Amino acid sequence: MRILLVRHGQSQWNATHRLQGQADIALSETGRSQADALRTTIDGLKPCRAITSDLERVRETAARIGAPDATPIRDLREIDVGDWTGRTTADIIAEDEAAYLAWRAGTGTPPGGEPWEAFADRVTAVIRSEAETPCTNLLVACHGGVIRAILQRFLDLQPASIIPVAPASLTALRLENGNGKPHRLELFNYRPTSLDFGAPD
């Protein structure tokens, strides 16, 4: 079973490098264009079904890449960053760089935020549940943190070893269903128009 993980396009906050967490914000015009550019790629992969985070920026991305009827799932929301919601990464780092780096590595929790392990548990539970009804290509429209959590739990890639996931990019993961074979990363951070090595968290 292949999991097609699509991070939402640039939101209205991405451009200013503000942490979004579970804030329900819309795509920017750039984000809409990014999602539109990915649609031909997704169409060619012919997803068997689609699920999405229930937050606006992800639902709109799902619709623009050809999955307007994707099932919204609350547990696919981004990690809750608590008091850091809406703050710029630069301000957080200036205030407490060690705390920011620990959070980014999955070992620290922002004040009032969600612990990484609890976040990864809820995200993984969604994917495992979906895998009980296998299909060739399951489309999952989600957030960057969700993708990092899935890569950690299924491939043992730690968050500190994964660069930020680019807006409106495609990551593909092959899940081997109990046949003794390892799960495999097939694609990471693919964008049809340009590479992005400096995406915000």
Side-chain angles (χ1 to χ4, degrees), residues 49-53 58-59 62-63 65-73 139-141:
R49 64 182 189 273
I51 58 177
T52 179
S53 162
V58 189
R59 289 186 289 108
I65 62 174
D69 299 323
T71 302
I73 299 177
L139 178 61
V140 181

Side-chain angles (χ1 to χ4, degrees), residues 56-172:
E56 180 179 358
R57 59 192 183 271
V58 189
R59 289 186 289 108
E60 184 177 358
T61 298
R64 286 182 171 271
I65 62 174
D69 299 323
T71 302
I73 299 177
R74 182 182 177 86
D75 280 348
L76 281 178
R77 285 187 177 194
E78 182 62 284
I79 192 168
D80 185 347
V81 294
D83 294 352
W84 289 357
T85 303
R87 295 189 62 193
T88 66
T89 53
D91 283 349
I92 296 166
I93 289 170
E95 180 179 280
D96 192 338
E97 184 176 14
Y100 175 80
L101 293 176
W103 168 74
R104 184 59 182 76
T107 59
T109 305
E114 179 179 19
W116 176 265
E117 290 302 315
F119 165 63
D121 283 347
R122 69 170 165 85
V123 167
T124 303
V126 172
I127 300 303
R128 293 196 188 283
S129 176
E130 290 293 326
E132 291 176 2
T133 307
C135 66
T136 302
N137 291 319
L138 172 68
L139 178 61
V140 181
C142 57
H143 307 266
V146 170
I147 295 171
R148 292 199 301 268
I150 290 170
L151 294 180
Q152 180 197 44
R153 290 298 179 86
F154 287 96
L155 296 178
D156 201 28
L157 289 172
Q158 299 307 308
S161 299
I162 303 171
I163 64 170
V165 182
S169 66
L170 171 63
T171 294

